Each structure stands twice: as structure tokens, then as C-alpha cells.
Amino acid sequence: MKPSFVSHADYQQFVFDRLRQHYSNGAAVLVRNDWPVIWKCYISDLSHTTSFLYKGYSAKGPAPRDPASMLRSYLLFLLVRPEIGLTQWVDELYRVPLYAILSGFEPGDIPGVGTFYDFLSRFWAAEKSNLKPKVKPRRRKPKRGKKGEKAPTTSTGKVKRLVERILRNGMPKQHQPFDRLLAFFQSQIIAVSEKYGLLGNATTLTIAGDGTPVVTSAYPRSKAVCDCHARGIAKCHHPRLYSQPDCDSGWDSARERYFSGYHLYMLTAANRPHDLPLYPRLQPASRHDALSFVVSTVEFSQRFTLGMVDKMLLDAAHDAGAIYDLLAHQNIQPFIDLNVRATKNLETHSDIRISPKGIPICPAGLEMKRNGFEPPRKRFKWICPLMTTRTKCACTTPCSSTKYGRSFHTASKDNPRLFPETPRDSEAWKLLYKRRTTVERSNKREKIDYKLEAGRHRSTKMWYIRLYGIMICQHMDAWFAHRKADLKPLQTQWLQSAS
């Protein structure tokens, strides 16, 4: 049968009645730490889950569980006990009436483990649980990075070739199995945060991006599909059967060790201090941040419909000319930390050279001083570093006969990497670039606070569902913080009614 719609008001009344019934006679009490969880569930309207998944249910058969209650229970599991599995969570629902009530279930009438997995699978728009086939060639481990640094790219120029192909031919939107998850997350979760003003101005969003390793197993698990070992062949190059085909080996620069799993690339809203995630992408563990960003930002621009991205904040791992070209094509202003790789100065059409930091070097070998910005021509002016006054130069071998000394101009259009529109040493840059760490804090919340890596899953489907569930919990936390002052009087009213 098709599920019946249960409004959020009906759910709120159900919670109030059952809490008063089970927690007002003194046999069980609510402690202080219970109230934040109660309010997060109480104010989060998930009733439209039923209409969103309505077509996925058959018109015949037994009546299904309320989809909103199923999703609410899964989110509650991530809020209070993310370190356990769904099997243990069902036991918790039987053991703790509060969790059953907040989910929307009558205490004692709890869905089984299979019901949870069957419900969660409805968010995955594909029959297969992984993006790649399980039989694939064996891959080598990537090169390890230097101490504290990420692993280098596996192929020189790969990012440049990919961006050039995108700019030349475009990147057609491809259907992804996680699109249904993203559509729900965008329409039912991000839209609410945008209404509360937790994302900032939707017409000029500032986005921060960064990657982080997600460990799914100690090592890649695979088995042979040939009989080479039985025939005495020690080294075989045939494909193997992998239990997690979308994962591979990568280098974790923070832990300084190899790992097997995914490379999670996350885009977060940087306009507000809530560190709210917007778009996640699970890439193979061996993939570099720069390559993951190119794929993620193009997919995000094709799918995000709630606002326009104005600025992009990235770390030095993304400092590549091709990424500047891609962001310029998307009309996004880049704020990327400079990765000084070169040791030689760049030649120009004159006797002035450019340092690897983007500062002009005069013929005497000194760094020139910046002397303002020309808005009509969108270029910066540099002057002789030895000018003591506006008309006097202390250089013993002046390179200009003018009384104002030698000057030089740099424009962002000539080299956006070395000459960004907002100079890296300006106060405007420093003030905005401080917000880049919002993505690192968001990744920390997912991996440490919500124990993302505690999921014992073998499929990309369940890893995406767990990841999106944690992201929804992050938004619920922000909703609660935003409305916390308004809920205090209601809590007092509840306690008086219960007594």
C-alpha cells in the first residue's frame, strides 16, 4: 500500500502526549541532556518525506511504516548513538521509550532491521549499490606525500587536461544514483536553513571546499577470478573481484599512513559561522584534492538551484592555473592560497621579472612596492622600492628618467593565479580567507562528532546515506541553535503540563 501522510503538527502532538504519558508519573524522568535531542526532533519538519518517496511504494501489499518516522528514527540514531549499527539501534528503540517516541513509534511497536534497510534503499536511485563494477584491475598504491603534505597528483597535467576538455566541450549532466538523496537534502533541508538565514545571502554565496580521507577498511578486500594461483603462477595481472569497488588505497597526510576507503570532497557555506555542508562527493581514496574539486564544482553547479556562488575559498592544494580558468568560466571569484612551487622569477616583456609570489622585481633585484589599484583598467600599480618621496629616488642606478621613478602594472586577466582581483596581502583577503576553515570544521564534525567512519558498510549506497544523514543532523543542530531562545518558554510549559 501507499504510505499515509502524517503532518508535522500531528507528530508534535503525538510526542507531547506520549512524553506526558510515559514521563509524568515518576517511573521515568527526562534529564537535562535529553532536551536538546527532543527539540531537534520536535522542530524538524520531515513530514514531506512521505510525498517525496510516495512513488517508490507499491499500491498493493501491507501498509508501510510512516516514511517520516523511519527517517526521523535514523537521524535520531546518528544524533545519539552513531557508533553502533542499525541492529543495535533497534534494540535501543525497544529499551528506551524516549527514542521510540521521538521517532514517531509507539513504545514496543518498533520496525525491524530489514525494514530500516528497505526504507533507506528508497533514497538510492539505482539497482546496484556501487558506482563501479566489482570486477576491476588491481591498482597500485599512490606515492606517499612529504611529512604533513598530501600525496602528489598521479599524473602531471591531469587537472589541466580535464578543465580544458570541460571548457571546450562542456560537461553534460550525468544521472547519479545519489541525485535523489541530494534532491531531498536540497529541497527539505538546505531550503529551511536558507529560510532561517543560516547560509548568508543566497544570491552571493561564499563556498569553501576541501577533501578528507574516509577509512572504510584496513586494506582493500578482493579475491581472484582466475585460476592462476592454482596453476602455480605467483604474479597475476588479471582483474580481481572487490567487495568495495569504489574504494582504493590512498595516503592520509594527517595520520601519515596508507588507508583504504574514499576521498570525501565537501563544499560548505562559508558566509555564516554554522559550518553547514552543501554538497559531498565520495571519490576514490587515491584522488587528489584538485581533481576532486573540478568534478565536484561542476556537478554542484549543475544541481544547486537555491542560490548563486560568488566566491570560492580553497587551500594551496588547489593552486593550479586550470582551476582559476574553470572558476572564471563559472563567474566565481577564487580565493586560493598560493603554493610557491617555482624558485625562478618569471620573465616579462620588459627588464622587470615576476617573483614566484607574484611581486615584480626591478632590475636591481628588489621587490617593488604596490601603489594602489586602477579600477577602470582593473590593474595594480607598482613603483620603485627605493622611492623616498614622490619625486626622489635613492637608487644609485635608476632605471627610469622620470621624476616619479619606475612603475609597473599587473592585471588579474594576465595571470589570475599570481595577480588575483583581491591581493593576498590585503585586509579584505585575510578577513574573507579566515572562513576557509569552515569546511575543515564541518569535516571534523562528520568524522569525529558523528563518527562517520564507524559505519560498517560495504556499499557506496549505504556510505552516501550515512553521510547525508549526518549532514542533515548538522543542519538540525544549526536550527536548534537558531531557535533555542524561543524553545525555553515552551519547555517550561511542557514541564508544568506534565506535573
Side-chain angles (χ1 to χ4, degrees), residues 89-156:
W89 174 244
V90 172
D91 295 338
E92 288 290 304
L93 291 175
Y94 279 107
R95 186 179 298 114
V96 185
L98 175 63
Y99 296 161
I101 294 171
L102 294 180
S103 299
F105 304 135
E106 290 284 354
D109 183 18
I110 307 300
V113 178
T115 306
F116 273 99
Y117 279 105
D118 180 67
F119 164 75
L120 295 174
S121 296
R122 299 178 187 275
F123 283 103
W124 188 253
E127 295 182 0
K128 296 183 178 180
S129 299
N130 296 289
L131 304 180
K132 298 178 181 179
K134 289 192 173 184
V135 178
K136 62 177 186 177
R138 188 199 299 264
R139 295 194 63 179
R140 295 181 179 179
K141 289 183 179 180
K143 294 181 179 179
R144 66 174 63 194
K146 297 180 181 178
K147 187 173 183 179
E149 296 183 2
K150 298 180 180 179
T153 55
T154 57
S155 177
T156 305

Coordinates of all heavy atoms in Angstrom, one line a residue, residues 89-156:
W89 N 20.6 -0.4 17.1 CA 19.7 0.7 17.3 C 18.3 0.2 17.5 O 17.5 0.8 18.3 CB 19.8 1.6 16.1 CG 18.8 2.7 16.1 CD1 17.7 2.9 15.3 CD2 18.7 3.8 17.1 NE1 17.0 4.0 15.6 CE2 17.6 4.6 16.7 CE3 19.4 4.1 18.2 CZ2 17.2 5.7 17.5 CZ3 19.0 5.2 19.0 CH2 17.9 6.0 18.6
V90 N 17.9 -0.8 16.8 CA 16.5 -1.4 17.0 C 16.4 -1.9 18.5 O 15.3 -1.7 19.1 CB 16.3 -2.6 16.1 CG1 15.0 -3.3 16.4 CG2 16.2 -2.0 14.6
D91 N 17.5 -2.4 19.1 CA 17.4 -2.8 20.5 C 17.3 -1.6 21.4 O 16.5 -1.6 22.4 CB 18.7 -3.6 20.8 CG 18.8 -4.9 20.1 OD1 17.8 -5.4 19.7 OD2 20.0 -5.4 20.0
E92 N 17.9 -0.5 21.0 CA 17.8 0.7 21.8 C 16.4 1.3 21.7 O 15.9 1.8 22.7 CB 18.8 1.8 21.2 CG 20.2 1.5 21.6 CD 20.5 1.7 23.0 OE1 20.2 2.8 23.6 OE2 21.0 0.7 23.6
L93 N 15.7 1.2 20.6 CA 14.3 1.6 20.5 C 13.4 0.9 21.4 O 12.5 1.4 22.0 CB 13.9 1.5 19.0 CG 14.5 2.5 18.0 CD1 14.0 2.1 16.6 CD2 14.2 3.9 18.4
Y94 N 13.7 -0.4 21.6 CA 12.9 -1.2 22.5 C 13.2 -0.9 23.9 O 12.4 -0.9 24.8 CB 13.1 -2.7 22.3 CG 12.3 -3.3 21.1 CD1 13.0 -3.7 19.9 CD2 11.0 -3.5 21.2 CE1 12.3 -4.2 18.9 CE2 10.2 -4.1 20.2 CZ 10.9 -4.4 19.0 OH 10.2 -4.9 17.9
R95 N 14.5 -0.6 24.2 CA 15.0 -0.4 25.5 C 14.6 1.0 26.1 O 14.4 1.1 27.3 CB 16.5 -0.6 25.6 CG 17.1 -0.6 27.0 CD 18.6 -0.8 26.9 NE 18.9 -2.2 26.4 CZ 19.6 -2.4 25.2 NH1 20.0 -1.3 24.5 NH2 19.8 -3.6 24.8
V96 N 14.7 2.0 25.2 CA 14.5 3.4 25.7 C 13.2 3.9 25.0 O 13.2 4.2 23.8 CB 15.7 4.3 25.3 CG1 15.5 5.7 25.9 CG2 17.0 3.6 25.8
P97 N 12.1 4.1 25.8 CA 10.8 4.6 25.2 C 11.0 6.0 24.6 O 10.3 6.3 23.6 CB 9.9 4.6 26.4 CG 10.4 3.6 27.4 CD 11.9 3.7 27.2
L98 N 11.9 6.8 25.2 CA 12.1 8.2 24.6 C 12.5 8.1 23.2 O 12.0 8.9 22.4 CB 13.2 8.9 25.4 CG 13.6 10.3 24.9 CD1 12.4 11.2 25.0 CD2 14.7 10.8 25.7
Y99 N 13.4 7.2 22.8 CA 13.8 7.2 21.4 C 12.7 6.7 20.5 O 12.6 7.2 19.3 CB 15.0 6.2 21.3 CG 16.3 6.6 22.0 CD1 17.3 5.7 22.3 CD2 16.4 8.0 22.4 CE1 18.4 6.1 23.0 CE2 17.6 8.4 23.1 CZ 18.5 7.4 23.4 OH 19.7 7.8 24.1
A100 N 11.9 5.8 20.9 CA 10.7 5.4 20.1 C 9.7 6.5 19.9 O 9.2 6.7 18.8 CB 10.1 4.1 20.7
I101 N 9.5 7.2 21.0 CA 8.5 8.3 20.9 C 9.0 9.4 20.0 O 8.3 10.0 19.1 CB 8.2 8.9 22.3 CG1 7.5 7.8 23.2 CG2 7.4 10.2 22.3 CD1 7.4 8.2 24.6
L102 N 10.3 9.8 20.1 CA 10.8 10.9 19.3 C 10.9 10.4 17.8 O 10.8 11.3 16.9 CB 12.2 11.3 19.7 CG 12.3 11.9 21.1 CD1 13.7 12.3 21.4 CD2 11.4 13.2 21.1
S103 N 11.0 9.1 17.6 CA 11.0 8.7 16.2 C 9.6 8.7 15.6 O 9.4 8.9 14.4 CB 11.4 7.2 16.1 OG 12.8 7.1 16.6
G104 N 8.5 8.7 16.4 CA 7.2 8.6 16.0 C 6.5 7.3 16.1 O 5.4 7.0 15.6
F105 N 7.2 6.4 16.8 CA 6.7 5.0 17.0 C 6.1 4.9 18.4 O 6.5 5.5 19.4 CB 7.8 4.0 16.9 CG 8.5 4.0 15.5 CD1 9.9 4.0 15.5 CD2 7.8 4.2 14.4 CE1 10.6 4.0 14.3 CE2 8.5 4.2 13.2 CZ 9.9 4.2 13.1
E106 N 5.1 4.0 18.5 CA 4.6 3.6 19.8 C 5.6 2.8 20.5 O 6.2 1.9 19.9 CB 3.3 2.9 19.7 CG 2.1 3.7 19.2 CD 1.5 4.6 20.3 OE1 2.0 4.5 21.5 OE2 0.6 5.4 20.0
P107 N 5.9 3.0 21.8 CA 6.9 2.2 22.5 C 6.4 0.7 22.5 O 5.3 0.4 22.8 CB 6.8 2.7 23.9 CG 6.4 4.1 23.8 CD 5.4 4.2 22.6
G108 N 7.4 -0.1 22.0 CA 7.1 -1.6 21.9 C 6.7 -2.0 20.5 O 6.8 -3.1 20.1
D109 N 6.2 -1.0 19.7 CA 5.9 -1.3 18.3 C 7.0 -0.7 17.4 O 6.8 0.4 16.8 CB 4.5 -0.7 17.9 CG 4.1 -1.0 16.5 OD1 4.6 -2.0 15.9 OD2 3.1 -0.3 16.0
I110 N 8.0 -1.4 17.2 CA 9.3 -0.9 16.6 C 9.5 -1.7 15.2 O 9.3 -2.9 15.2 CB 10.5 -1.1 17.5 CG1 10.2 -0.5 18.9 CG2 11.7 -0.5 16.9 CD1 9.9 1.0 18.8
P111 N 9.9 -1.0 14.2 CA 10.2 -1.7 12.9 C 11.5 -2.5 13.1 O 12.3 -2.2 13.9 CB 10.4 -0.6 11.9 CG 10.7 0.6 12.7 CD 10.0 0.4 14.0
G112 N 11.6 -3.6 12.2 CA 12.8 -4.4 12.3 C 13.9 -3.8 11.5 O 13.8 -2.8 10.8
V113 N 15.1 -4.5 11.6 CA 16.3 -4.0 10.9 C 16.1 -4.0 9.4 O 16.5 -3.1 8.7 CB 17.5 -4.9 11.3 CG1 18.7 -4.5 10.6 CG2 17.7 -4.9 12.8
G114 N 15.5 -5.1 8.9 CA 15.2 -5.2 7.5 C 14.4 -4.0 7.0 O 14.5 -3.6 5.8
T115 N 13.4 -3.6 7.8 CA 12.5 -2.5 7.4 C 13.3 -1.2 7.3 O 13.1 -0.4 6.4 CB 11.4 -2.3 8.5 OG1 10.7 -3.6 8.7 CG2 10.4 -1.3 8.0
F116 N 14.3 -1.0 8.1 CA 15.1 0.2 8.0 C 16.0 0.2 6.7 O 16.0 1.2 6.0 CB 16.1 0.3 9.2 CG 15.5 1.0 10.4 CD1 15.0 0.2 11.5 CD2 15.4 2.3 10.5 CE1 14.4 0.9 12.6 CE2 14.9 3.0 11.6 CZ 14.4 2.3 12.6
Y117 N 16.6 -0.9 6.4 CA 17.4 -1.0 5.2 C 16.5 -0.9 4.0 O 16.9 -0.3 3.0 CB 18.2 -2.3 5.2 CG 19.5 -2.3 6.0 CD1 19.5 -2.9 7.3 CD2 20.6 -1.6 5.6 CE1 20.7 -2.9 8.1 CE2 21.7 -1.5 6.4 CZ 21.8 -2.2 7.6 OH 22.9 -2.1 8.4
D118 N 15.4 -1.5 4.0 CA 14.4 -1.4 2.9 C 14.0 0.1 2.6 O 13.9 0.5 1.5 CB 13.2 -2.3 3.1 CG 12.3 -2.2 1.9 OD1 12.6 -2.7 0.8 OD2 11.1 -1.7 2.1
F119 N 13.8 0.8 3.7 CA 13.4 2.2 3.6 C 14.5 3.0 3.1 O 14.3 3.9 2.2 CB 12.9 2.7 5.0 CG 12.8 4.2 5.1 CD1 11.8 4.9 4.4 CD2 13.8 4.9 5.7 CE1 11.8 6.3 4.5 CE2 13.8 6.3 5.8 CZ 12.8 7.0 5.2
L120 N 15.7 2.9 3.7 CA 16.8 3.7 3.3 C 17.2 3.5 1.8 O 17.7 4.4 1.1 CB 18.0 3.4 4.2 CG 17.9 3.8 5.7 CD1 19.1 3.3 6.5 CD2 17.7 5.3 5.8
S121 N 17.0 2.3 1.3 CA 17.3 2.0 -0.1 C 16.5 2.8 -1.1 O 16.8 2.9 -2.2 CB 17.2 0.5 -0.4 OG 18.1 -0.2 0.4
R122 N 15.3 3.3 -0.6 CA 14.5 4.0 -1.5 C 15.0 5.4 -1.9 O 14.6 6.0 -2.8 CB 13.1 4.2 -0.8 CG 12.4 2.9 -0.6 CD 11.0 3.1 0.1 NE 10.4 1.8 0.5 CZ 9.7 1.0 -0.3 NH1 9.5 1.4 -1.5 NH2 9.2 -0.1 0.1
F123 N 16.1 5.8 -1.1 CA 16.7 7.1 -1.5 C 17.8 6.9 -2.5 O 18.4 7.9 -3.0 CB 17.4 7.7 -0.2 CG 16.4 8.4 0.7 CD1 16.0 7.8 1.9 CD2 15.9 9.7 0.4 CE1 15.1 8.4 2.7 CE2 15.1 10.3 1.2 CZ 14.6 9.7 2.4
W124 N 18.1 5.7 -2.9 CA 19.2 5.4 -3.9 C 18.5 5.1 -5.2 O 17.8 4.1 -5.4 CB 20.0 4.2 -3.4 CG 21.2 3.9 -4.1 CD1 21.4 2.8 -5.0 CD2 22.4 4.6 -4.1 NE1 22.7 2.9 -5.5 CE2 23.4 4.0 -5.0 CE3 22.9 5.8 -3.5 CZ2 24.7 4.4 -5.2 CZ3 24.2 6.2 -3.7 CH2 25.0 5.6 -4.5
A125 N 18.8 5.9 -6.2 CA 18.2 5.8 -7.5 C 18.9 4.9 -8.4 O 19.2 5.3 -9.6 CB 18.0 7.2 -8.1
A126 N 19.2 3.7 -8.0 CA 19.8 2.7 -8.9 C 19.6 1.3 -8.3 O 19.4 1.1 -7.1 CB 21.3 3.0 -9.0
E127 N 19.7 0.3 -9.1 CA 19.6 -1.1 -8.7 C 20.8 -1.6 -8.0 O 20.8 -2.3 -7.0 CB 19.2 -2.0 -9.8 CG 17.8 -1.7 -10.4 CD 17.5 -2.7 -11.5 OE1 18.3 -3.6 -11.8 OE2 16.4 -2.6 -12.1
K128 N 22.0 -1.2 -8.5 CA 23.3 -1.6 -8.0 C 23.7 -0.7 -6.8 O 23.4 0.5 -6.8 CB 24.4 -1.6 -9.0 CG 24.1 -2.6 -10.1 CD 25.3 -2.7 -11.1 CE 25.0 -3.7 -12.2 NZ 26.1 -3.8 -13.2
S129 N 24.4 -1.2 -5.8 CA 24.7 -0.5 -4.6 C 26.0 0.3 -4.8 O 26.4 1.0 -3.9 CB 24.8 -1.4 -3.4 OG 23.5 -2.0 -3.2
N130 N 26.8 0.1 -5.9 CA 28.0 0.7 -6.1 C 28.0 1.4 -7.4 O 27.2 1.1 -8.3 CB 29.2 -0.3 -6.0 CG 29.3 -0.9 -4.6 OD1 29.8 -0.2 -3.7 ND2 29.0 -2.2 -4.5
L131 N 29.0 2.4 -7.6 CA 29.0 3.1 -8.8 C 29.8 2.4 -9.9 O 29.6 2.6 -11.1 CB 29.7 4.5 -8.6 CG 29.0 5.4 -7.5 CD1 29.8 6.7 -7.4 CD2 27.6 5.6 -7.9
K132 N 30.8 1.6 -9.5 CA 31.6 0.8 -10.4 C 31.4 -0.7 -10.3 O 30.9 -1.1 -9.3 CB 33.1 1.1 -10.2 CG 33.5 2.6 -10.3 CD 35.0 2.8 -10.0 CE 35.4 4.3 -10.1 NZ 36.8 4.5 -9.8
P133 N 31.7 -1.4 -11.4 CA 31.6 -2.9 -11.3 C 32.6 -3.5 -10.3 O 33.6 -2.9 -10.1 CB 31.8 -3.4 -12.7 CG 32.6 -2.3 -13.3 CD 32.1 -1.0 -12.7
K134 N 32.2 -4.6 -9.7 CA 33.1 -5.2 -8.6 C 34.3 -5.8 -9.2 O 35.3 -5.9 -8.5 CB 32.3 -6.2 -7.8 CG 31.2 -5.6 -6.9 CD 30.7 -6.6 -5.9 CE 29.8 -6.0 -4.9 NZ 29.3 -6.9 -3.9
V135 N 34.3 -6.2 -10.5 CA 35.5 -6.8 -11.1 C 36.2 -5.7 -11.8 O 35.7 -5.1 -12.7 CB 35.1 -7.9 -12.1 CG1 36.3 -8.5 -12.8 CG2 34.3 -9.0 -11.4
K136 N 37.5 -5.5 -11.4 CA 38.3 -4.4 -12.0 C 39.7 -4.8 -11.8 O 40.1 -5.6 -10.9 CB 37.9 -3.1 -11.3 CG 38.2 -3.0 -9.9 CD 37.9 -1.6 -9.3 CE 38.4 -1.5 -7.9 NZ 38.2 -0.1 -7.4
P137 N 40.6 -4.1 -12.5 CA 42.1 -4.4 -12.4 C 42.6 -4.0 -11.0 O 42.1 -3.0 -10.4 CB 42.7 -3.6 -13.5 CG 41.6 -3.3 -14.5 CD 40.3 -3.2 -13.7
R138 N 43.7 -4.6 -10.6 CA 44.3 -4.2 -9.4 C 45.1 -2.9 -9.6 O 45.7 -2.7 -10.6 CB 45.3 -5.3 -8.9 CG 45.9 -5.1 -7.6 CD 47.2 -5.9 -7.4 NE 46.9 -7.3 -7.6 CZ 46.7 -8.1 -6.5 NH1 46.8 -7.7 -5.3 NH2 46.5 -9.4 -6.8
R139 N 45.0 -2.0 -8.6 CA 45.6 -0.7 -8.7 C 46.8 -0.6 -7.7 O 46.7 -1.2 -6.6 CB 44.6 0.4 -8.4 CG 43.5 0.5 -9.5 CD 42.8 1.8 -9.4 NE 43.7 3.0 -9.6 CZ 43.3 4.3 -9.6 NH1 42.0 4.5 -9.3 NH2 44.2 5.2 -9.8
R140 N 47.8 0.1 -8.0 CA 48.9 0.3 -7.1 C 48.6 1.4 -6.1 O 47.7 2.3 -6.4 CB 50.2 0.7 -7.9 CG 50.7 -0.4 -8.9 CD 51.9 0.1 -9.6 NE 52.5 -0.9 -10.4 CZ 53.6 -0.7 -11.2 NH1 54.2 0.5 -11.2 NH2 54.0 -1.7 -12.0
K141 N 49.3 1.4 -5.0 CA 49.2 2.5 -4.0 C 49.8 3.8 -4.6 O 50.8 3.7 -5.4 CB 49.9 2.1 -2.7 CG 49.3 1.0 -1.9 CD 50.1 0.8 -0.6 CE 49.4 -0.3 0.2 NZ 50.2 -0.6 1.5
P142 N 49.2 4.9 -4.3 CA 49.8 6.2 -4.7 C 51.1 6.5 -4.0 O 51.4 5.9 -2.9 CB 48.7 7.2 -4.4 CG 48.0 6.6 -3.2 CD 48.0 5.1 -3.5
K143 N 51.8 7.4 -4.5 CA 53.1 7.8 -3.8 C 52.7 8.5 -2.5 O 51.7 9.3 -2.5 CB 53.9 8.7 -4.7 CG 54.5 8.1 -6.0 CD 55.3 9.0 -6.8 CE 55.9 8.4 -8.0 NZ 56.7 9.3 -8.8
R144 N 53.4 8.3 -1.5 CA 53.2 9.0 -0.2 C 53.7 10.4 -0.3 O 54.7 10.7 -1.0 CB 53.8 8.2 0.9 CG 55.3 8.2 0.9 CD 55.9 7.6 2.2 NE 55.4 6.2 2.3 CZ 55.5 5.5 3.5 NH1 56.0 6.1 4.5 NH2 55.1 4.2 3.5
G145 N 53.0 11.3 0.4 CA 53.4 12.7 0.4 C 54.5 12.9 1.4 O 54.8 12.1 2.2
K146 N 55.1 14.1 1.3 CA 56.1 14.5 2.3 C 55.4 14.7 3.7 O 54.1 14.7 3.8 CB 56.8 15.8 1.9 CG 57.6 15.7 0.6 CD 58.2 17.0 0.3 CE 59.0 16.8 -1.0 NZ 59.7 18.1 -1.4
K147 N 56.1 14.8 4.7 CA 55.6 14.9 6.1 C 54.6 16.1 6.2 O 55.0 17.2 5.9 CB 56.7 15.0 7.1 CG 56.2 15.0 8.5 CD 57.3 14.9 9.5 CE 56.8 14.8 11.0 NZ 57.9 14.7 12.0
G148 N 53.4 15.8 6.5 CA 52.4 16.9 6.6 C 51.8 17.3 5.3 O 50.9 18.2 5.3
E149 N 52.2 16.7 4.2 CA 51.7 17.1 2.9 C 50.9 16.0 2.3 O 51.1 14.8 2.6 CB 52.8 17.5 2.0 CG 53.6 18.8 2.4 CD 54.7 19.2 1.4 OE1 54.7 18.5 0.4 OE2 55.4 20.1 1.7
K150 N 50.0 16.4 1.4 CA 49.2 15.4 0.7 C 50.0 14.7 -0.4 O 51.0 15.2 -0.8 CB 47.9 16.0 0.1 CG 47.0 16.6 1.2 CD 45.8 17.3 0.6 CE 44.9 17.9 1.7 NZ 43.7 18.5 1.2
A151 N 49.5 13.5 -0.8 CA 50.1 12.8 -1.9 C 50.1 13.6 -3.2 O 49.1 14.3 -3.5 CB 49.5 11.5 -2.1
P152 N 51.1 13.6 -4.0 CA 51.2 14.3 -5.2 C 50.2 13.7 -6.2 O 49.7 12.6 -6.1 CB 52.6 14.2 -5.7 CG 53.1 12.9 -5.1 CD 52.4 12.8 -3.7
T153 N 49.9 14.5 -7.2 CA 49.0 14.0 -8.3 C 49.6 12.9 -9.0 O 50.8 12.8 -9.2 CB 48.6 15.1 -9.3 OG1 49.9 15.7 -9.8 CG2 47.8 16.2 -8.6
T154 N 48.8 11.9 -9.4 CA 49.4 10.7 -10.1 C 49.8 10.9 -11.5 O 50.5 10.2 -12.0 CB 48.3 9.6 -10.0 OG1 47.1 10.1 -10.7 CG2 48.0 9.2 -8.6
S155 N 49.3 12.0 -12.1 CA 49.6 12.3 -13.5 C 49.8 13.8 -13.7 O 48.8 14.5 -13.4 CB 48.5 11.7 -14.4 OG 48.8 12.1 -15.8
T156 N 50.9 14.2 -14.1 CA 51.2 15.6 -14.3 C 50.3 16.2 -15.5 O 50.2 15.6 -16.5 CB 52.6 15.9 -14.7 OG1 53.5 15.3 -13.7 CG2 52.9 17.3 -14.9

